[in-house]
Amino acid sequence: MKIMKWKKLVTLGCVVVMTVSSVTACGSNTTENQTVEATEQSEENQSDSVIVQVTAVDGDQITADVGTLTTASADASGNGAPGGDAPGGDDSGNGAPGEAPSGDAPGGDVPGGEAPGGDDSGNGAPGGDAPGGDAPSGDNSGNGAPGGDAPSGDAPSGEAPSGDAPGGQMPGGSSFETSGESITFTLTDDTAITLEYLQGSGEGTADDIAVGSVLEVVLDEDNQAVSVTVRNLNAGGGFGGSSEVTNGTSANTITEDTEVDGETYTSTGDDENALRVDGATVTLKDITIEKTAGASSNTEDGDFYGQNAGLLVLNGATATITGATVNTSVTNGNGVFSYGEGTVVNISDSTIRTTENNSGGIQTTGGGTMNATNLDVETQGNSAAAIRSDRGGGTVNVDGGSYVTNGTESPAIYCTADISVSDATLTANASEGVVVEGKNSVALTDCDVTGNMSNTYNGDSDENIHCIMIYQSMSGDADVGEATFSAEGGSITAKTGDMFYITNTDCEITLKDVAFTLANDVFLRVEGNSSSRGWGTEGANGGDVTLTADSQEFTGNILVDEISSLVLTMKNGTSYEGAINPDGAGGTVDVTLDDNSTWTLTGDSYITSFDGDTSNITANGYHLYVNGEQVL
């Protein structure tokens, strides 16, 4: 899917790499004609463009160094996958922060077969992805996005399977080398700005161009930018799953409207569902699903399309399930999977257990719908969120029940959809509690959430530990746009790290009457990241957050870096005890405090604007600075 992404970048053993000046092909199957054709195409594509790295931004005037891009080569460590490290690195082969590529395949082999000529890193084979096998090299993580899913040997979507590439570069990623020349050009209202994702691209704005951004620019004769592509230097690995929908096979398939009571469905085949409901309206009562064996040939296909899941519902089918028992013990063994527009799964009073990597409890992708009531779900593997979505998203409604995860990069909820959960217990014993990616939403009502993220991504000391993460991986798995997170009632407990971490996205957070338990002194951290996993461009990948606290008590510091912003509103009796940017001014921070709310300082605080009465602020021996002036 997925956390977070450098999520799921594909480790391609054979990649045709285009730089400004040359094309290199690897793999014994590449022919001379193909190489010549690629070279000619590269020269044609680059004839009107220039690669630059921004050194200054002054309104619509951009100054930049001219140069070229070079691509990191693979080495014996398994490096060479486009996505680099994945957050939350472990031996999961993970990609996104809560769903990762997968782990080892039976016997340690890559389920889809080792790439020819590769080694146990999952590397080096011409065209050989390591879809579900051991994550190439290093820590075996293949990590990419925090809870997303990165296939395993492949790091689709955001983070490359293997370890770090030399110099901290994501394996297979590119680096900028200056030629010593510099240019200045102008952006106009007609300039077409494109953002390059880890896979694919999308529309961008001038705000996406910052000092440090690497751009591919087409200029007119007046040195005005006709088009600008903000390059993602970790991109280029392609898409790890099939280019077409690949659901695999099924041991048992229902294609006609029917009612079933008390049946048992089993599967031991590769890429095979134990039961599939295809295009029919079906009622399933007290059934048992047992998926006990069978390798996944490509974890992206399992994450996106339901290949190797226990129960897959697709093609506009409606399945109403009560009293089911679902057990899987295979990679990509998602318990109950809803795939595709018009597909609806209604499941209640059922038990789901999964033990291997990339095996969520309930999974929704491709625009499907999942309605879950009073489920008992527990997962053991890495990249195995209990409530899970991936590419194409959909709608998920959960009422009641218990959702527990035990693996790393396995939040209780990994969201690339619209997910609403009420009256449920959500526990992640080794991961974030909740991860929201891109233009998607999580709404919690009277839920008890516990997050216990166990380590940083690949042990990188620059990475963050947190309970709730909201971000954009740029993997293409989630649309770029404003994410939303809301919680009313219930509790959220962080056993490690910060309470909230927001990076490389816009988001709106609404909190009302939630009981928070912090693990450290940071309630909210809004900041950019190194972009080593492809999460935007360093220097332009901060967060823009609107936080509304309504009848809410909360404590802890709020940290907003210089490339981020926060609009904080406290109303209706909200009580906040903490400091905002206690070490000095960072990004723009606008605070509104209504007459019924209070703020008690626990350190000097630096904000940009204040709307309210300072008599509602208790200085507590500290000072409040507004736009550089001390007001308390």
Side-chain angles (χ1 to χ4, degrees):
M1 305 177 171
K2 30 57 291 297
I3 116 232
M4 131 211 91
K5 276 157 154 152
W6 14 329
K7 240 180 62 130
K8 307 184 297 195
L9 274 193
V10 180
T11 303
L12 292 180
C14 177
V15 179
V16 176
V17 178
M18 293 187 183
T19 66
V20 173
S21 59
S22 65
V23 172
T24 301
C26 69
S28 58
N29 293 330
T30 303
T31 66
E32 180 178 356
N33 290 339
Q34 289 172 322
T35 303
V36 170
E37 180 181 352
T39 304
E40 291 173 350
Q41 184 64 46
S42 177
E43 291 172 351
E44 178 181 347
N45 289 343
Q46 300 294 338
S47 60
D48 298 324
S49 66
V50 60
I51 300 295
V52 301
Q53 185 169 44
V54 178
T55 57
V57 177
D58 182 9
D60 58 3
Q61 299 293 310
I62 308 296
T63 302
D65 291 334
V66 178
T68 59
L69 293 179
T70 58
T71 301
S73 60
D75 58 22
S77 72
N79 296 333
D85 298 331
D90 55 17
D91 50 4
S92 69
N94 297 336
E99 321 277 315
S102 83
D104 303 339
D109 290 335
V110 175
E114 293 185 352
D119 53 22
D120 55 7
S121 71
N123 284 341
D129 297 343
D134 295 333
S137 113
D139 52 36
N140 290 334
S141 70
N143 298 331
D149 291 353
S152 99
D154 295 317
S157 198
E159 290 310 74
S162 86
D164 297 332
Q169 176 94 10
M170 286 176 88
S174 301
S175 60
F176 177 83
E177 294 185 2
T178 182
S179 66
E181 299 179 47
S182 178
I183 62 170
T184 297
F185 59 91
T186 304
L187 301 177
T188 72
D189 291 341
D190 295 326
T191 302
I193 300 176
T194 300
L195 294 177
E196 183 179 47
Y197 302 154
L198 293 177
Q199 293 108 23
S201 60
E203 184 177 351
T205 69
D207 291 338
D208 296 307
I209 299 173
V211 173
S213 297
V214 174
L215 314 176
E216 183 172 350
V217 185
V218 175
L219 302 174
D220 66 15
E221 59 187 7
D222 296 321
N223 235 31
Q224 294 181 330
V226 176
S227 65
V228 174
T229 299
V230 182
R231 298 294 301 267
N232 187 321
L233 300 191
N234 298 315
F239 169 45
S242 302
S243 57
E244 299 180 355
V245 175
T246 305
N247 305 115
T249 62
S250 181
N252 303 278
T253 302
I254 299 174
T255 57
E256 297 182 356
D257 297 355
T258 189
E259 295 185 6
V260 176
D261 191 345
E263 292 292 328
T264 296
Y265 300 96
T266 63
S267 167
T268 58
D270 295 350
D271 296 335
E272 181 182 73
N273 308 128
L275 175 62
R276 179 177 297 180
V277 178
D278 189 347
T281 298
V282 175
T283 298
L284 304 172
K285 182 179 179 182
D286 297 331
I287 65 166
T288 299
I289 300 287
E290 297 284 348
K291 174 65 177 171
T292 57
S296 174
S297 63
N298 189 299
T299 54
E300 288 278 59
D301 291 339
D303 293 342
F304 298 161
Y305 310 128
Q307 178 176 283
N308 226 37
L311 169 56
L312 172 61
V313 183
L314 75 171
N315 290 331
T318 297
T320 300
I321 306 161
T322 59
T325 299
V326 180
N327 296 308
T328 73
S329 54
V330 296
T331 296
N332 279 139
N334 293 287
V336 177
F337 201 118
S338 177
Y339 173 74
E341 295 282 351
T343 298
V344 179
V345 174
N346 303 306
I347 180 169
S348 62
D349 303 309
S350 298
T351 300
I352 299 173
R353 297 288 185 270
T354 74
T355 64
E356 298 303 314
N357 296 337
N358 292 77
S359 299
I362 53 175
Q363 171 92 329
T364 306
T365 69
T369 297
M370 177 77 68
N371 300 312
T373 304
N374 295 329
L375 300 189
D376 178 0
V377 175
E378 185 166 3
T379 72
Q380 300 295 332
N382 302 318
S383 280
I387 300 169
R388 190 181 191 212
S389 63
D390 208 311
R391 187 163 291 198
T395 302
V396 180
N397 301 302
V398 175
D399 183 12
S402 172
Y403 296 82
V404 178
T405 67
N406 295 290
T408 59
E409 302 187 20
S410 299
I413 300 173
Y414 188 85
C415 173
T416 59
D418 293 323
I419 298 179
S420 299
V421 184
S422 61
D423 299 300
T425 300
L426 306 164
T427 305
N429 287 317
S431 181
E432 304 96 331
V434 177
V435 174
V436 184
E437 181 182 353
K439 191 178 179 180
N440 293 293
S441 66
V442 166
L444 306 178
T445 304
D446 296 326
C447 292
D448 293 321
V449 180
T450 301
N452 189 24
M453 188 173 171
S454 61
N455 58 4
T456 59
Y457 309 134
N458 280 348
D460 183 350
S461 61
D462 292 334
E463 283 300 343
N464 205 55
I465 297 288
H466 42 267
C467 181
I468 296 172
M469 177 178 180
I470 304 173
Y471 82 117
Q472 171 56 256
S473 73
M474 309 305 292
S475 67
D477 286 2
D479 290 342
V480 173
E482 186 176 72
T484 61
F485 175 90
S486 67
E488 180 173 355
S491 65
I492 302 178
T493 299
K495 290 196 170 182
T496 55
D498 304 336
M499 180 58 70
F500 287 92
Y501 172 55
I502 289 84
T503 189
N504 196 40
T505 195
D506 298 343
C507 75
E508 181 176 350
I509 300 172
T510 304
L511 306 172
K512 184 175 183 179
D513 196 28
V514 181
F516 286 102
T517 301
L518 275 63
N520 62 19
D521 63 357
V522 177
F523 181 79
L524 171 65
R525 184 184 300 271
V526 188
E527 64 181 26
N529 63 82
S530 68
S531 78
S532 63
R533 297 165 313 283
W535 299 355
T537 300
E538 185 174 9
N541 57 6
D544 294 309
V545 177
T546 299
L547 169 59
T548 301
D550 182 355
S551 307
Q552 181 64 58
E553 293 184 8
F554 65 113
T555 63
N557 292 340
I558 294 173
L559 308 177
V560 182
D561 75 0
E562 63 278 1
I563 59 171
S564 300
S565 69
L566 171 66
V567 177
L568 171 62
T569 300
M570 295 178 278
K571 64 182 184 178
N572 297 330
T574 288
S575 172
Y576 169 48
E577 183 175 340
I580 299 177
N581 281 348
D583 295 328
T588 301
V589 179
D590 300 314
V591 176
T592 297
L593 185 69
D594 79 2
D595 291 341
N596 298 316
S597 300
T598 61
W599 176 10
T600 300
L601 300 182
T602 61
D604 291 344
S605 295
Y606 295 81
I607 64 178
T608 309
S609 70
F610 177 74
D611 182 3
D613 191 332
T614 55
S615 67
N616 284 20
I617 301 175
T618 301
N620 206 24
Y622 299 102
H623 300 291
L624 174 64
Y625 298 87
V626 178
N627 201 26
E629 295 186 9
Q630 180 182 327
V631 299
L632 278 179

